Amino acid sequence: MIFEFSNDPLASASPDAALAFLSFEDALVPPEIGHSQGPLREVIDRALSRSRFKGALGQFIDIIAPCGTSAARILLVGCGAKAGLAELGIERAAADAYRRVHATGATILELRFDPACAKDAAAMAFGVQLAAYRFDKYRTSEKSEKKPSISFTRIVSAEPETAGAAFQQALPLADAIYFCRDQVSEPPNILYPTEFARRIQGLDLPGMEVEVLGEDAMRQLGMNALLGVGQGSSRRSQLVVMQWNGGRTEDPPMAFVGKGVCYDSGGLSIKPAKSMAEMKWDMGGAAVVAGLLHALARGKVHANVVGILGLVENMPDGNAQRPGDVVTSMSGQTIEVVDTDAEGRLVLADALWYCQQRFKPRLMIDVATLTGAVEIALGQEFAGLFSNDDALADRLLRAATLEGEKLWRLPLAAALEKLIESPVADVKNYGGPEGGAITAALFLQRFVNGCPWAHLDVAGTTWQSTSSLPTVPDGATGFGVRILHRLVTDYYGGAVSRSDAPHAHTWTC
Ligand code: BES
Ligand code: MN
Ligand code: ZN
């Protein structure tokens, strides 16, 4: 996609353009149309009088442009009330405009919102970029009417240069969301632990340090909980450690730990066929953490951040872990593995312990497609948030609101600890279906050693077969990258390094 910021709406005159106006409940007709006379005004008045369009969020008018207008179609995109419209609303309106016309044959999308300040204009471009994501590398043919036709987005703003600079600043985050979605979309025969690690090592991110621990190194460290999960697979387990040290040397890092189960068959506690097909995206947490580090390094953010990815494949074979096995984790705590399908917490137990031991982080956040139970509790729009630290939980909730990704805090209910007590070991890895997301979080809490910690259970939000947000195409969502990126940058007061303001007006993404 090519983006252009311009202060000259007339220059767009193109027979292939879709012209999108933002429309509000309290200002239905965009001012530049309201003040004009002629066929465009007439056709819009007619459309408004013969439809139920009231400018509400999600409402839409798409009309073929009248003779004499040098555009293919005219769109009115409902945004709700004008007062209180935040950047997020503008971003979504632009994304919605793209989504509605992206395969209509129109080749140019011109977005007009009067007056679009630089931030609004950049938010529109960001929304279109997120909406334009596709994962089509394995398609060898596609019906031409399904192919996206829009390849150029033009945004009218009184401040095109500042808008370009603001968009440039937001691009690392968009790229990171693309990277995250790409990894989650990959099939499990292509993206297995060593391949995932290889891709992280291959990223061209100056200043990013990447280490990969293989099975021998992990065995020496005593990571038997993680290794037990991978032992039934012919693919080798990996622990990837990413470090972005953009902050002051003495500053303790923020740490992020991702569940990277590249395929979760359930192991010997094998899953039914229907739920197995989804389990290629059980590495979604690791993809979010990798995406976050990607964005921070690209954006040269002034913060010290560690990302740890626990990469395994959970498979049944003659060497696989058995329900009934007892493993000794790196922390020294013993775990009775009563269900080999509750594998994510075993991987995280060692990854979290290793993380706090080695880095002494100021805070630690894990991201994991951990339980089906969280999806039963909260559905697909909210991810579950657990934390042993109220201030951290509040920061995350605030970041989530600002970024339009929803979190809901659930309790680390001590009363449920008894469900994971084991008759033979210190703890067991599954406590039954009641409070399933909570007992999983309680299990993790035993491995954070008192460090300020939060756990995001993203099992319901990582993949959407039918997405409800225009900025999120169906499939891999990238949910979580924005929240964590906002958390890190806000923690340091928006400490993004400012590169020289770019002079370009067009951006190829
Ligand atoms: N990866 C799954 C959780 C999951 C379920 C993620 C659905 C995304 C969508 C996890 O490893 C798992 O298998 N959990 C089981 C645990 C139980 C049966 C032992 C679950 O929650 O059903
Ligand atoms: Mn599982
Ligand atoms: Zn899993």
Side-chain angles (χ1 to χ4, degrees), residues 1-61:
M1 180 73 69
I2 298 172
F3 290 92
E4 180 182 47
F5 297 93
S6 168
N7 51 13
D8 180 8
L10 296 173
S12 73
S14 157
D16 290 328
L19 227 59
F21 296 93
L22 271 55
S23 171
F24 301 89
E25 283 161 352
D26 40 351
L28 218 48
V29 183
E32 72 173 274
I33 306 256
H35 299 140
S36 69
Q37 294 294 333
L40 188 53
R41 168 82 191 264
E42 274 167 35
V43 83
I44 287 182
D45 283 348
R46 193 171 143 88
L48 287 174
S49 67
R50 286 170 205 208
S51 72
R52 292 178 165 178
F53 184 84
K54 294 279 179 288
L57 199 67
Q59 276 193 321
F60 208 80
I61 285 184

Side-chain angles (χ1 to χ4, degrees), residues 107-324:
T107 56
I108 299 172
L109 173 63
E110 176 161 308
L111 288 157
R112 293 195 196 167
F113 164 49
D114 188 21
C117 68
K119 274 188 157 185
D120 295 341
M124 286 194 244
F126 190 66
V128 170
Q129 177 65 2
L130 292 187
Y133 175 80
R134 279 168 61 86
F135 185 79
D136 52 9
K137 69 191 274 200
Y138 298 112
R139 284 185 200 279
T140 60
S141 65
E142 188 173 29
K143 287 193 184 124
S144 59
E145 66 265 27
K146 287 202 157 179
K147 285 192 185 140
S149 51
I150 305 265
S151 58
F152 193 97
T153 298
R154 206 161 171 283
I155 292 151
V156 179
S157 164
E159 311 164 3
E161 288 188 9
T162 334
F167 182 50
Q168 165 88 359
Q169 201 111 117
L171 270 179
L173 180 56
D175 288 350
I177 292 167
Y178 269 49
F179 176 79
C180 175
R181 290 175 180 170
D182 276 347
Q183 308 320 310
V184 172
S185 304
E186 284 286 5
N189 60 326
I190 305 288
L191 194 86
Y192 41 90
T194 47
E195 169 62 12
F196 198 170
R198 199 187 59 74
R199 290 188 184 191
I200 306 287
Q201 283 179 306
L203 288 172
D204 177 23
L205 296 169
M208 173 84 79
E209 284 170 47
V210 179
E211 287 162 68
V212 178
L213 277 63
E215 294 190 344
D216 291 343
M218 287 193 271
R219 201 162 289 116
Q220 291 219 318
L221 288 161
M223 295 188 164
N224 302 307
L226 185 154
L227 289 168
V229 176
Q231 81 187 29
S233 167
S234 59
R235 315 281 199 189
R236 282 169 292 124
S237 302
Q238 309 269 278
L239 190 86
V240 177
V241 180
M242 306 170 78
Q243 287 187 71
W244 167 251
N245 289 315
R248 287 195 309 264
T249 332
E250 69 278 12
D251 211 14
M254 294 181 167
F256 298 88
V257 179
K259 167 178 172 180
V261 178
C262 295
Y263 192 68
D264 180 12
S265 69
L268 285 177
S269 314
I270 198 160
K271 286 182 182 293
K274 252 175 70 191
S275 36
M276 214 186 286
E278 302 189 319
M279 283 301 126
K280 71 168 188 180
W281 44 266
D282 209 17
M283 34 56 74
V288 167
V289 172
L292 170 69
L293 272 283
H294 193 290
L296 297 173
R298 260 289 134 80
K300 300 204 180 347
V301 171
H302 295 313
N304 295 335
V305 179
V306 172
I308 294 184
L309 322 179
L311 306 180
V312 300
E313 186 180 57
N314 187 21
M315 298 292 271
D317 83 350
N319 191 44
Q321 163 158 276
R322 292 151 289 255

Side-chain angles (χ1 to χ4, degrees), residues 466-489:
T466 324
S467 165
S468 54
L469 274 181
T471 44
V472 179
D474 295 347
T477 61
F479 181 102
V481 179
R482 294 182 73 164
I483 296 177
L484 299 182
H485 184 262
R486 169 74 74 158
L487 179 90
V488 173
T489 51

